[in-house]
Amino acid sequence: MSVSYKDLGFVNTKEMFSKAFEGGYAIPAYNFNNMEQIQSIVTACGKSNSPVIMQVSSGARKYANQTLLRYMAQGAVQMARDAGHNMPVALHLDHGDTYELCVSCIESGFSSVMIDGSHHPYEKNVELTAKVVEYAHKYDVTVEGELGVLAGIEDDVVAAESVYTKPEQVEDFVKKTGVDSLAISIGTSHGAYKFTPEQCTKNEEGVLVPPPLRFDILEEIEKLVPGFPIVLHGASSVLPVYVDIINNNGGDLKAAVGIPSEQLRRAAKSSVCKINIDSDGRLVMTAMVRKTFADKPEEFDPRKYLGPAREELIKMMIDKNENVLGSAGKA
């Protein structure tokens, strides 16, 4: 039995993106896999009065169980409303790779889906994306496509090298598919190991600095499809403070490098209307759990180690909304 996202309290991304475009900020798209993460997302975005996209990969959907997931997401919106927060919330499928998966998510109450056909040849990507758009738009669900391939690993999305998006293809792709937004590749990548040490330079403190994003490609795309919402995937900053906490408490994250905040801030002021953040959330939770276990090795109550992780995650997300994405106060 299918259910409409409107009955669950979600909105699609159309109005969110047009406001973000006009206002020069980006909507945070936070991935979640468990209750503490979803609580953190709605609490942080409620407190900072930011619109938000809660997103789920196909792997997370399998992990959480699709029925439970739907009710968790619906419960999260209600939790925000009960706390007096009225920010718009979208529920989005991240990296849907088949038509069937997108249909299943639309039928179970998702307000937005991504069909990632970037691993297919161009014409097949166009065909698959257009098919998903045709189905989704019947139910007023928005669709994100992808052009170009991001390096790194995210659940089942594996790519060895980044292939930058070709600006001239964007105009053709948008026209032929009817997508509502487009994920492009300009130098971001998935996971905590976005760049090899060889790709980076070192600053005065000896910290690895990644190669800059290709803003020239982004500007070219903006000229060809003016006003069209662009999405950045793989845009976690891999915050060094949490990498250090993990490594100082038994972890082993070597050469973990992310996208500097100032580059994301610059992107958010452009046609980039949605910035995906997954790895930073994972790092925060792992850092605080490891720290609790190191500080209190006798602890075995999950609330005592997941609770501090949740609190730290809320702090990190509020900071992202206020200082990186510029979405705070825009709900």
mmCIF file of all heavy atoms in Angstrom, residues 97-133:
data_model
loop_
_atom_site.group_PDB
_atom_site.id
_atom_site.type_symbol
_atom_site.label_atom_id
_atom_site.label_comp_id
_atom_site.label_asym_id
_atom_site.label_seq_id
_atom_site.Cartn_x
_atom_site.Cartn_y
_atom_site.Cartn_z
ATOM 1 N N ASP A 97 19.972 3.581 -7.307
ATOM 2 C CA ASP A 97 20.660 3.163 -8.537
ATOM 3 C C ASP A 97 19.760 2.431 -9.529
ATOM 4 O O ASP A 97 20.192 2.098 -10.623
ATOM 5 C CB ASP A 97 21.882 2.298 -8.199
ATOM 6 C CG ASP A 97 21.518 1.096 -7.337
ATOM 7 O OD1 ASP A 97 20.361 1.020 -6.860
ATOM 8 O OD2 ASP A 97 22.386 0.229 -7.131
ATOM 9 N N THR A 98 18.500 2.183 -9.130
ATOM 10 C CA THR A 98 17.581 1.529 -10.066
ATOM 11 C C THR A 98 16.224 2.229 -10.051
ATOM 12 O O THR A 98 15.850 2.873 -9.072
ATOM 13 C CB THR A 98 17.334 0.047 -9.695
ATOM 14 O OG1 THR A 98 16.667 -0.001 -8.419
ATOM 15 C CG2 THR A 98 18.625 -0.757 -9.629
ATOM 16 N N TYR A 99 15.504 2.080 -11.149
ATOM 17 C CA TYR A 99 14.150 2.616 -11.266
ATOM 18 C C TYR A 99 13.256 2.016 -10.174
ATOM 19 O O TYR A 99 12.486 2.725 -9.512
ATOM 20 C CB TYR A 99 13.599 2.276 -12.665
ATOM 21 C CG TYR A 99 12.145 2.618 -12.870
ATOM 22 C CD1 TYR A 99 11.741 3.938 -13.088
ATOM 23 C CD2 TYR A 99 11.167 1.616 -12.871
ATOM 24 C CE1 TYR A 99 10.392 4.249 -13.296
ATOM 25 C CE2 TYR A 99 9.832 1.916 -13.076
ATOM 26 C CZ TYR A 99 9.453 3.241 -13.284
ATOM 27 O OH TYR A 99 8.124 3.543 -13.487
ATOM 28 N N GLU A 100 13.403 0.711 -9.952
ATOM 29 C CA GLU A 100 12.552 -0.001 -8.988
ATOM 30 C C GLU A 100 12.740 0.528 -7.563
ATOM 31 O O GLU A 100 11.772 0.680 -6.813
ATOM 32 C CB GLU A 100 12.855 -1.521 -9.016
ATOM 33 C CG GLU A 100 12.460 -2.227 -10.296
ATOM 34 C CD GLU A 100 13.357 -1.911 -11.502
ATOM 35 O OE1 GLU A 100 14.520 -1.494 -11.297
ATOM 36 O OE2 GLU A 100 12.873 -2.072 -12.644
ATOM 37 N N LEU A 101 13.990 0.806 -7.192
ATOM 38 C CA LEU A 101 14.262 1.335 -5.852
ATOM 39 C C LEU A 101 13.613 2.712 -5.688
ATOM 40 O O LEU A 101 13.013 3.009 -4.649
ATOM 41 C CB LEU A 101 15.775 1.425 -5.606
ATOM 42 C CG LEU A 101 16.212 2.057 -4.286
ATOM 43 C CD1 LEU A 101 15.678 1.282 -3.083
ATOM 44 C CD2 LEU A 101 17.742 2.154 -4.215
ATOM 45 N N CYS A 102 13.727 3.552 -6.708
ATOM 46 C CA CYS A 102 13.121 4.892 -6.646
ATOM 47 C C CYS A 102 11.605 4.797 -6.497
ATOM 48 O O CYS A 102 11.004 5.511 -5.684
ATOM 49 C CB CYS A 102 13.486 5.700 -7.889
ATOM 50 S SG CYS A 102 15.231 6.169 -7.943
ATOM 51 N N VAL A 103 10.988 3.906 -7.255
ATOM 52 C CA VAL A 103 9.530 3.713 -7.171
ATOM 53 C C VAL A 103 9.141 3.252 -5.770
ATOM 54 O O VAL A 103 8.195 3.762 -5.166
ATOM 55 C CB VAL A 103 9.048 2.695 -8.242
ATOM 56 C CG1 VAL A 103 7.610 2.249 -7.967
ATOM 57 C CG2 VAL A 103 9.159 3.301 -9.632
ATOM 58 N N SER A 104 9.895 2.295 -5.232
ATOM 59 C CA SER A 104 9.611 1.766 -3.900
ATOM 60 C C SER A 104 9.673 2.881 -2.845
ATOM 61 O O SER A 104 8.827 2.967 -1.944
ATOM 62 C CB SER A 104 10.619 0.656 -3.572
ATOM 63 O OG SER A 104 10.520 0.287 -2.227
ATOM 64 N N CYS A 105 10.678 3.754 -2.971
ATOM 65 C CA CYS A 105 10.813 4.857 -2.004
ATOM 66 C C CYS A 105 9.673 5.864 -2.149
ATOM 67 O O CYS A 105 9.137 6.356 -1.152
ATOM 68 C CB CYS A 105 12.166 5.542 -2.179
ATOM 69 S SG CYS A 105 13.530 4.553 -1.544
ATOM 70 N N ILE A 106 9.307 6.180 -3.375
ATOM 71 C CA ILE A 106 8.193 7.116 -3.611
ATOM 72 C C ILE A 106 6.909 6.556 -3.003
ATOM 73 O O ILE A 106 6.145 7.273 -2.356
ATOM 74 C CB ILE A 106 8.030 7.388 -5.129
ATOM 75 C CG1 ILE A 106 9.228 8.197 -5.647
ATOM 76 C CG2 ILE A 106 6.717 8.130 -5.417
ATOM 77 C CD1 ILE A 106 9.386 8.204 -7.160
ATOM 78 N N GLU A 107 6.713 5.252 -3.171
ATOM 79 C CA GLU A 107 5.496 4.617 -2.638
ATOM 80 C C GLU A 107 5.507 4.528 -1.120
ATOM 81 O O GLU A 107 4.463 4.400 -0.498
ATOM 82 C CB GLU A 107 5.334 3.216 -3.248
ATOM 83 C CG GLU A 107 4.926 3.269 -4.714
ATOM 84 C CD GLU A 107 4.775 1.892 -5.340
ATOM 85 O OE1 GLU A 107 5.232 0.897 -4.727
ATOM 86 O OE2 GLU A 107 4.200 1.816 -6.440
ATOM 87 N N SER A 108 6.712 4.601 -0.520
ATOM 88 C CA SER A 108 6.754 4.499 0.944
ATOM 89 C C SER A 108 6.925 5.860 1.623
ATOM 90 O O SER A 108 7.274 5.930 2.792
ATOM 91 C CB SER A 108 7.831 3.507 1.388
ATOM 92 O OG SER A 108 9.112 4.000 1.085
ATOM 93 N N GLY A 109 6.709 6.952 0.869
ATOM 94 C CA GLY A 109 6.631 8.258 1.520
ATOM 95 C C GLY A 109 7.830 9.174 1.387
ATOM 96 O O GLY A 109 7.911 10.195 2.074
ATOM 97 N N PHE A 110 8.769 8.841 0.507
ATOM 98 C CA PHE A 110 9.883 9.758 0.254
ATOM 99 C C PHE A 110 9.382 10.941 -0.576
ATOM 100 O O PHE A 110 8.566 10.765 -1.486
ATOM 101 C CB PHE A 110 11.021 9.055 -0.502
ATOM 102 C CG PHE A 110 11.903 8.199 0.373
ATOM 103 C CD1 PHE A 110 11.394 7.074 1.031
ATOM 104 C CD2 PHE A 110 13.246 8.499 0.527
ATOM 105 C CE1 PHE A 110 12.197 6.280 1.830
ATOM 106 C CE2 PHE A 110 14.069 7.697 1.330
ATOM 107 C CZ PHE A 110 13.545 6.594 1.983
ATOM 108 N N SER A 111 9.885 12.134 -0.270
ATOM 109 C CA SER A 111 9.434 13.321 -0.998
ATOM 110 C C SER A 111 10.396 13.695 -2.116
ATOM 111 O O SER A 111 10.122 14.578 -2.928
ATOM 112 C CB SER A 111 9.277 14.507 -0.043
ATOM 113 O OG SER A 111 10.506 14.834 0.563
ATOM 114 N N SER A 112 11.553 13.021 -2.152
ATOM 115 C CA SER A 112 12.587 13.327 -3.136
ATOM 116 C C SER A 112 13.430 12.075 -3.331
ATOM 117 O O SER A 112 13.680 11.343 -2.369
ATOM 118 C CB SER A 112 13.442 14.481 -2.597
ATOM 119 O OG SER A 112 14.509 14.762 -3.457
ATOM 120 N N VAL A 113 13.837 11.824 -4.565
ATOM 121 C CA VAL A 113 14.699 10.662 -4.809
ATOM 122 C C VAL A 113 15.856 11.065 -5.716
ATOM 123 O O VAL A 113 15.733 11.959 -6.543
ATOM 124 C CB VAL A 113 13.946 9.468 -5.469
ATOM 125 C CG1 VAL A 113 12.913 8.881 -4.512
ATOM 126 C CG2 VAL A 113 13.302 9.864 -6.796
ATOM 127 N N MET A 114 16.969 10.388 -5.524
ATOM 128 C CA MET A 114 18.084 10.555 -6.452
ATOM 129 C C MET A 114 18.191 9.297 -7.298
ATOM 130 O O MET A 114 18.218 8.191 -6.763
ATOM 131 C CB MET A 114 19.396 10.745 -5.694
ATOM 132 C CG MET A 114 20.569 10.850 -6.648
ATOM 133 S SD MET A 114 22.138 10.704 -5.794
ATOM 134 C CE MET A 114 23.252 11.101 -7.147
ATOM 135 N N ILE A 115 18.236 9.485 -8.609
ATOM 136 C CA ILE A 115 18.572 8.360 -9.471
ATOM 137 C C ILE A 115 19.983 8.616 -9.996
ATOM 138 O O ILE A 115 20.232 9.595 -10.682
ATOM 139 C CB ILE A 115 17.547 8.149 -10.625
ATOM 140 C CG1 ILE A 115 17.985 6.995 -11.528
ATOM 141 C CG2 ILE A 115 17.274 9.426 -11.418
ATOM 142 C CD1 ILE A 115 17.997 5.630 -10.852
ATOM 143 N N ASP A 116 20.899 7.767 -9.560
ATOM 144 C CA ASP A 116 22.297 7.925 -9.937
ATOM 145 C C ASP A 116 22.623 6.966 -11.067
ATOM 146 O O ASP A 116 22.916 5.800 -10.851
ATOM 147 C CB ASP A 116 23.188 7.654 -8.718
ATOM 148 C CG ASP A 116 24.672 7.786 -9.046
ATOM 149 O OD1 ASP A 116 24.984 8.104 -10.216
ATOM 150 O OD2 ASP A 116 25.498 7.577 -8.148
ATOM 151 N N GLY A 117 22.560 7.490 -12.280
ATOM 152 C CA GLY A 117 22.908 6.686 -13.455
ATOM 153 C C GLY A 117 24.278 7.034 -13.980
ATOM 154 O O GLY A 117 24.616 6.723 -15.125
ATOM 155 N N SER A 118 25.108 7.675 -13.134
ATOM 156 C CA SER A 118 26.404 8.190 -13.606
ATOM 157 C C SER A 118 27.385 7.088 -13.987
ATOM 158 O O SER A 118 28.356 7.329 -14.702
ATOM 159 C CB SER A 118 27.030 9.106 -12.548
ATOM 160 O OG SER A 118 27.287 8.396 -11.350
ATOM 161 N N HIS A 119 27.121 5.869 -13.486
ATOM 162 C CA HIS A 119 28.014 4.752 -13.837
ATOM 163 C C HIS A 119 27.650 4.152 -15.197
ATOM 164 O O HIS A 119 28.364 3.327 -15.726
ATOM 165 C CB HIS A 119 27.957 3.674 -12.748
ATOM 166 C CG HIS A 119 26.567 3.270 -12.367
ATOM 167 N ND1 HIS A 119 25.732 4.102 -11.653
ATOM 168 C CD2 HIS A 119 25.851 2.149 -12.623
ATOM 169 C CE1 HIS A 119 24.556 3.493 -11.473
ATOM 170 N NE2 HIS A 119 24.607 2.323 -12.056
ATOM 171 N N HIS A 120 26.493 4.566 -15.759
ATOM 172 C CA HIS A 120 26.067 4.094 -17.091
ATOM 173 C C HIS A 120 26.652 5.005 -18.174
ATOM 174 O O HIS A 120 27.012 6.150 -17.898
ATOM 175 C CB HIS A 120 24.543 4.147 -17.217
ATOM 176 C CG HIS A 120 23.820 3.166 -16.350
ATOM 177 N ND1 HIS A 120 23.987 1.797 -16.461
ATOM 178 C CD2 HIS A 120 22.905 3.346 -15.354
ATOM 179 C CE1 HIS A 120 23.218 1.194 -15.566
ATOM 180 N NE2 HIS A 120 22.560 2.106 -14.883
ATOM 181 N N PRO A 121 26.672 4.528 -19.420
ATOM 182 C CA PRO A 121 26.994 5.435 -20.526
ATOM 183 C C PRO A 121 25.971 6.583 -20.554
ATOM 184 O O PRO A 121 24.835 6.425 -20.087
ATOM 185 C CB PRO A 121 26.851 4.546 -21.770
ATOM 186 C CG PRO A 121 26.957 3.143 -21.275
ATOM 187 C CD PRO A 121 26.453 3.142 -19.860
ATOM 188 N N TYR A 122 26.368 7.714 -21.108
ATOM 189 C CA TYR A 122 25.564 8.940 -21.051
ATOM 190 C C TYR A 122 24.107 8.724 -21.488
ATOM 191 O O TYR A 122 23.174 9.106 -20.773
ATOM 192 C CB TYR A 122 26.219 10.033 -21.910
ATOM 193 C CG TYR A 122 25.434 11.316 -21.927
ATOM 194 C CD1 TYR A 122 25.389 12.144 -20.803
ATOM 195 C CD2 TYR A 122 24.708 11.702 -23.057
ATOM 196 C CE1 TYR A 122 24.660 13.332 -20.807
ATOM 197 C CE2 TYR A 122 23.976 12.876 -23.059
ATOM 198 C CZ TYR A 122 23.950 13.683 -21.937
ATOM 199 O OH TYR A 122 23.218 14.839 -21.935
ATOM 200 N N GLU A 123 23.903 8.098 -22.659
ATOM 201 C CA GLU A 123 22.525 7.937 -23.168
ATOM 202 C C GLU A 123 21.658 7.089 -22.241
ATOM 203 O O GLU A 123 20.485 7.351 -22.047
ATOM 204 C CB GLU A 123 22.529 7.335 -24.588
ATOM 205 C CG GLU A 123 23.101 8.258 -25.657
ATOM 206 C CD GLU A 123 22.402 9.626 -25.729
ATOM 207 O OE1 GLU A 123 21.212 9.722 -25.367
ATOM 208 O OE2 GLU A 123 23.072 10.605 -26.127
ATOM 209 N N LYS A 124 22.272 6.071 -21.655
ATOM 210 C CA LYS A 124 21.539 5.196 -20.719
ATOM 211 C C LYS A 124 21.192 5.970 -19.438
ATOM 212 O O LYS A 124 20.105 5.804 -18.868
ATOM 213 C CB LYS A 124 22.414 3.968 -20.398
ATOM 214 C CG LYS A 124 21.882 3.069 -19.309
ATOM 215 C CD LYS A 124 20.808 2.115 -19.802
ATOM 216 C CE LYS A 124 20.526 1.069 -18.734
ATOM 217 N NZ LYS A 124 19.128 0.872 -18.442
ATOM 218 N N ASN A 125 22.115 6.823 -18.982
ATOM 219 C CA ASN A 125 21.861 7.679 -17.822
ATOM 220 C C ASN A 125 20.668 8.593 -18.106
ATOM 221 O O ASN A 125 19.762 8.742 -17.276
ATOM 222 C CB ASN A 125 23.119 8.497 -17.512
ATOM 223 C CG ASN A 125 23.030 9.299 -16.208
ATOM 224 O OD1 ASN A 125 22.031 9.264 -15.498
ATOM 225 N ND2 ASN A 125 24.090 10.032 -15.909
ATOM 226 N N VAL A 126 20.642 9.200 -19.281
ATOM 227 C CA VAL A 126 19.527 10.079 -19.692
ATOM 228 C C VAL A 126 18.210 9.303 -19.670
ATOM 229 O O VAL A 126 17.207 9.750 -19.096
ATOM 230 C CB VAL A 126 19.777 10.669 -21.106
ATOM 231 C CG1 VAL A 126 18.511 11.331 -21.657
ATOM 232 C CG2 VAL A 126 20.925 11.674 -21.068
ATOM 233 N N GLU A 127 18.230 8.129 -20.264
ATOM 234 C CA GLU A 127 17.009 7.307 -20.383
ATOM 235 C C GLU A 127 16.469 6.892 -19.005
ATOM 236 O O GLU A 127 15.278 7.025 -18.715
ATOM 237 C CB GLU A 127 17.364 6.066 -21.222
ATOM 238 C CG GLU A 127 16.211 5.136 -21.532
ATOM 239 C CD GLU A 127 16.713 3.819 -22.126
ATOM 240 O OE1 GLU A 127 17.775 3.813 -22.795
ATOM 241 O OE2 GLU A 127 16.059 2.785 -21.886
ATOM 242 N N LEU A 128 17.366 6.411 -18.150
ATOM 243 C CA LEU A 128 16.973 5.960 -16.811
ATOM 244 C C LEU A 128 16.453 7.132 -15.969
ATOM 245 O O LEU A 128 15.415 7.032 -15.297
ATOM 246 C CB LEU A 128 18.180 5.311 -16.113
ATOM 247 C CG LEU A 128 18.003 4.868 -14.662
ATOM 248 C CD1 LEU A 128 16.918 3.809 -14.536
ATOM 249 C CD2 LEU A 128 19.325 4.340 -14.098
ATOM 250 N N THR A 129 17.160 8.250 -16.025
ATOM 251 C CA THR A 129 16.766 9.426 -15.236
ATOM 252 C C THR A 129 15.406 9.944 -15.689
ATOM 253 O O THR A 129 14.538 10.259 -14.865
ATOM 254 C CB THR A 129 17.840 10.533 -15.352
ATOM 255 O OG1 THR A 129 19.110 9.989 -14.949
ATOM 256 C CG2 THR A 129 17.513 11.717 -14.458
ATOM 257 N N ALA A 130 15.203 10.015 -17.006
ATOM 258 C CA ALA A 130 13.927 10.508 -17.551
ATOM 259 C C ALA A 130 12.770 9.605 -17.127
ATOM 260 O O ALA A 130 11.660 10.082 -16.817
ATOM 261 C CB ALA A 130 13.999 10.586 -19.074
ATOM 262 N N LYS A 131 13.017 8.310 -17.065
ATOM 263 C CA LYS A 131 11.985 7.348 -16.661
ATOM 264 C C LYS A 131 11.576 7.565 -15.198
ATOM 265 O O LYS A 131 10.383 7.548 -14.852
ATOM 266 C CB LYS A 131 12.521 5.926 -16.866
ATOM 267 C CG LYS A 131 11.469 4.834 -16.700
ATOM 268 C CD LYS A 131 12.081 3.457 -16.957
ATOM 269 C CE LYS A 131 11.082 2.356 -16.692
ATOM 270 N NZ LYS A 131 11.679 1.015 -16.725
ATOM 271 N N VAL A 132 12.577 7.784 -14.330
ATOM 272 C CA VAL A 132 12.299 8.044 -12.910
ATOM 273 C C VAL A 132 11.551 9.381 -12.760
ATOM 274 O O VAL A 132 10.590 9.486 -12.003
ATOM 275 C CB VAL A 132 13.603 8.053 -12.078
ATOM 276 C CG1 VAL A 132 13.332 8.554 -10.657
ATOM 277 C CG2 VAL A 132 14.217 6.658 -12.039
ATOM 278 N N VAL A 133 11.993 10.395 -13.501
ATOM 279 C CA VAL A 133 11.348 11.714 -13.439
ATOM 280 C C VAL A 133 9.878 11.609 -13.824
ATOM 281 O O VAL A 133 9.001 12.163 -13.154
ATOM 282 C CB VAL A 133 12.083 12.728 -14.357
ATOM 283 C CG1 VAL A 133 11.250 13.992 -14.539
ATOM 284 C CG2 VAL A 133 13.456 13.071 -13.782
#
